[in-house]
Amino acid sequence: MDRFKSWGRKASSASKDKDDDDGRESSSSAQRQNSSSTSSADKDKKKHRRKKSSKSEKSSKTSSSSQRSLHANGDRKKPTPAPAIATGIPTGGSVASKDGKAKADAKARGSASGPGAISVGGGMATFRVPVPGNVRPGEEFQVFAGGRIVRVKCPLNSAPGQSLQITVPVDQTDDGAGAGGPKLPELPPDSDNVTKIPNQDLAPGEQPAFMVKIPEGVRGGQQFPVTINGQQLTVTCPNMARPGMSVRIVPPPTPDQKGATALDRPRQAPQRIANPNKQSEKTQMFEVVVPKGVLAGQPFALLAGGVRVLVTCPKNALFGQKIRFNLPVGLVNRVDGPKSKLAEIKLSYDKDGWTRTIRATDMKFQWTRFDEIGNVDQRTRFNTERSAYVLKLNYLDDNDRMRLGRCELVTPEKGVVDSKIKSANGTELVSYSDIASAQMKSYDDKIQWFQDTCAQLCVEWNEGHMRMNVRREYLLSDSMEAVMSLSRKDLRKVWRFEFIGEAGIDAGGLAREWFELVTEEVFDPDMGLWQTSATNQMCMQINPASAISCPEDHLIYFRFIGRVMGKAMFDRQLVKGHMVKHLYKHMLGWPVMFNDLKDVDEEYFNSLKGLKDMGSDVQYVGVDFTVMEETLGVKRTVDLVPNGESIDVTEENLPEYMEACLKYRLLGRYEAQLNELLLGFFDVIPEPLLTIFDFQELELLMCGLPTIEMEDWMLHTEYSGEYDREGPNHEVCVWFWEVVGDYDHELKARLLQFVTGTSGVPARGFSSMQGNDGNVRKFTVHGVSLDTCMYPRSHTCFNRIDLPIYEDKADLEEKLKIAITMASTGFDIE
C-alpha cells in the first residue's frame, strides 16, 4: 500500500513537471518516472529472454535516435500568411512536439518514440499524406492540411507511394465555429495545360472532368505532374498518346473535401447537446394518506405518476393523515417508448423484492424491499431469504489524478446513488427524470442512450487528446505506466495508440487491438491477479492472494484494470474477460444476497445451509467466528468479527455468523483489490450512469453479445429427467427450441446467463462447455413435473435448466421469458 501511495505522489509530481516551462526539470521528472517503473516491466520480461529484450532496447534506441535527427532537420517556421513548411515523418514513428508551444516544451516531453502517454494540445493536428509518384527523396510537394496549403519535404528514407505523417497548426476556424464555417486559404491555380470541360451534367457528389494536354517529351507509360483544384496530381500518359494530345481525367475530391487524412481527429466528433436549464424544471404536487402501520420518520413506497417513489413520513404526521410532496413533471409525464422486456414483465408480474426507488426528499436512488403486506420492510436482523447488502464506495478526497476511497457492504437503504450527472463545466447533463426514463428502455436503446451520454462527457477535441505509445514486448507494464499517469480529465479524452517500432496509424483498429490484448493479458490466471471461478470455468474472480504474485504493485494494477474497463465502456470497446456475477452487481451497487454464495462456492453455500438445518445442535459442531485460508500450502486463521476465535457459533448467533460469512466471501477476501478496481472504473464512468442497467446487461455491454450458433447449441445439448427417453423429440423440447430460436441476440444471451452463469460461449463451441469441477458439462435440459415447480429453474454449476412439462407452447414461452428475465433481479419466482 505504501508503494501505491507513492505512485499517487509520483503521478501528481509528474503532472506538475510536464506542464513546467523548464525543459530540464521536466526531463528529470520523466527519468524518475521511468526508473520507478522497473518493477512493472519485470513482469513482462518473464515472457521474453534477455537476448530479445536487449535487442529490443537497442532497436528502440536506434529508432529514437533516428527520430531526433528527423526532427532536428525538420524544424517548422512559425505560421505566416505564406504557406508553412512541414517535414514529413514516416508513419512508423511519432512526432515529439505537437502543441505548438516553445521548444522547451518539446524537450521536456522528450521523444515520443519512448513509451508513455503524451498530452496533445488542440492547437496542432497530425495528418497522413502520400508521397506523389513524381517526388523523390529530398524534394518538396504541396498538400492541403490543417486548413492551409503545406509544403512537405520528402524524407531521404521515403519513396513515392509511401504515407508520411506530418504535424501542422490547425486553423482556428477549422471547427467551423464562425457563421460562415471554416475560412479556407486561396488555392494555387491550375496548370496551364489543364482545361475544365464546360456544361457537365453532374450528379450530387460527382466530380467534374478535366482535359489535360500531354507535355512535350512525355511518351506513353510515362508520368507527368499537373495541378488541379490546388492538388498536385500525377497523370500517366496512355500508351497510344503523344505530346500535344489531350486526355480526359476525373481528379479526386478537392482539397477542401479531402486533402490530407487526419490521424488524430475522430472521424465524427460527438455532437454536443445544449443543456436545458434543469434548475427551473416544473414540479407536480401529489397528496397521499399515510398508510396504516407507518410511524413518524419511517419511509413508505407508493406509485405516483407511474413512478415508484419512496416517501418519508413527517415527524408530525400520523396514520390516516394526508401529506404532500412534489415530483418533477418530466419524471411523471414521461414519453412512452420501447420498454425493456424486464420492465414489461415487472408491470404484468408484480413480485415482492428489492426495487430501486426515488427518494422524494432529494431525488436520489435507493433500494427498497417490501414485506408480505406491501409495506417497506423494516426488519434489520439477517435473514437468509430476505436480507441483502449493497456495495458502497466512500470517497475520502477529490484528487483529480489519484482519488482515495473505501468500499464497504451496507444495508440497501444506505446504498444511495446520485441521480444527476454534471458535465465538466458544472452544468447538469443528465437529470433523475432522464435516468428513470432510460431504465425503462429496451436493451438496444439503453446502449444508445449510454453511448450518447458518454459522447457528451468526452473532452472536446480542441481541448486536447492523448497519444499512447507502448512497446508490444512490454505491453502491460508500458500501458499501466501510461494509463496511471493520467488525470480523470485525460481519461475522458480521445486516445490514439501507437505500437513503437511498428508502421501503423490508429484509425480505430489499434485501439481495438490494444483493449483486447491488455484485458486478455490482465485476466490471464498466470498473471496472478485473477483466477477462474470455482463454479464456472469461463468466469474470472479476483485472486485474494494477488499480493504474492505482484507484491509491490498488485493494487496499482487493479486501479489500472478498473480504468481500462471504464475506458472500454466509454469508447465502445470490449473487454476480453467475463467476471463472476456478484462483481457485476458490486459495480452497479445492486443487492447481493445469501443465494449469491452459491455462485461463488456451492459446497461452502451448502455447508452453511446445513448449519441452519441443525437447529440447537449447531453448538456441538465446534464452529467459531473464523475461517481458515490456505495460500501456497500455508494456512492462516482469519477472524470474521473482532476476537472471532473466542466466539462459538450457537443457534442464537447463527444469523450473525452467516451474515459475517456472506460479507467475507463476497467482499472481505479481496476488499483492497476490489476497492482499487472500482476507484479506477469510476474515474471514467459516472456511477449514476450505470443505474439504467442490470448485471446481465452490464456483462453484455462490457463483453459484447456472444455469437451463438443454434445448430451447435442444439446438437451438443443433453436431456435428462422426464426428457431422457425422447430427448429433443419430446413435444416440450420441440417447443423449447422453437421459442429460443425466435429470441433475439439479447434474450439468447440472457438464457445462457440464466443457465450457465455467463453469456460467454467457449471458443470450441458448446461441445466444450465446462462445469464447476472443470469437466465437460454440456448444456442440459432436465424435465420435471409442474407439481415440482411452475417456472424453469437453473443450476449454473451443471449448466442445467429444469424445464417443467408444460401443457402448451404459449405457457412455456411465458414462463421461460419470466424466468430468464426476472433472474437479473435476484427475485424468487417460486
Side-chain angles (χ1 to χ4, degrees), residues 200-221:
Q200 300 184 55
D201 187 14
L202 301 176
E206 185 180 358
Q207 299 297 320
F210 293 78
M211 298 302 295
V212 179
K213 180 183 287 188
I214 301 175
E216 293 294 330
V218 176
R219 298 291 182 264

Side-chain angles (χ1 to χ4, degrees), residues 186-341:
E186 185 177 351
L187 298 177
D190 293 346
S191 300
D192 294 336
N193 59 335
V194 173
T195 304
K196 185 177 181 179
I197 301 177
N199 303 325
Q200 300 184 55
D201 187 14
L202 301 176
E206 185 180 358
Q207 299 297 320
F210 293 78
M211 298 302 295
V212 179
K213 180 183 287 188
I214 301 175
E216 293 294 330
V218 176
R219 298 291 182 264
Q222 294 182 346
Q223 295 180 331
F224 60 94
V226 294
T227 300
I228 301 178
N229 288 341
Q231 300 180 97
Q232 189 171 24
L233 306 175
T234 300
V235 180
T236 301
C237 179
N239 291 330
M240 303 300 294
R242 61 181 183 273
M245 295 180 61
S246 295
V247 294
R248 180 180 182 274
I249 66 170
V250 178
T254 55
D256 59 320
Q257 297 171 326
K258 284 285 183 180
T261 304
L263 306 181
D264 304 69
R265 188 179 295 269
R267 293 183 180 179
Q268 183 177 5
Q271 295 182 352
R272 300 287 165 174
I273 301 176
N275 295 321
N277 185 9
K278 307 251 182 191
Q279 301 298 328
S280 61
E281 188 172 6
K282 296 181 179 180
T283 60
Q284 179 177 345
M285 181 176 290
F286 290 84
E287 188 176 72
V288 63
V289 176
V290 177
K292 183 178 180 180
V294 176
L295 303 178
Q298 289 185 348
F300 63 95
L302 50 87
L303 286 174
V307 179
R308 179 80 69 176
V309 181
L310 193 68
V311 180
T312 301
C313 179
K315 293 183 178 180
N316 58 349
L318 299 174
F319 157 66
Q321 291 185 344
K322 293 182 179 180
I323 61 174
R324 296 177 178 178
F325 61 94
N326 293 315
L327 290 178
V329 174
L331 182 65
V332 296
N333 295 331
R334 296 179 302 201
V335 180
D336 291 335
K339 293 183 174 60
S340 68
K341 298 175 178 61

Side-chain angles (χ1 to χ4, degrees), residues 49-60 474:
R49 299 185 180 273
R50 287 188 179 181
K51 182 177 180 181
K52 182 176 179 180
S53 175
S54 122
K55 180 179 179 181
S56 172
E57 294 288 340
K58 183 177 180 181
S59 173
S60 177
Y474 299 106

Side-chain angles (χ1 to χ4, degrees), residues 45-106:
K45 290 181 181 178
K46 292 179 181 179
K47 299 185 177 181
H48 303 272
R49 299 185 180 273
R50 287 188 179 181
K51 182 177 180 181
K52 182 176 179 180
S53 175
S54 122
K55 180 179 179 181
S56 172
E57 294 288 340
K58 183 177 180 181
S59 173
S60 177
K61 291 178 181 178
T62 304
S63 174
S64 176
S65 175
S66 64
Q67 288 294 324
R68 285 194 294 269
S69 66
L70 283 173
H71 293 310
N73 295 330
D75 287 340
R76 227 177 5 254
K77 296 180 181 180
K78 293 183 179 180
T80 63
I85 300 176
T87 301
I89 307 296
T91 52
S94 57
V95 182
S97 177
K98 292 180 170 57
D99 58 359
K101 293 184 180 180
K103 292 183 178 179
D105 288 334

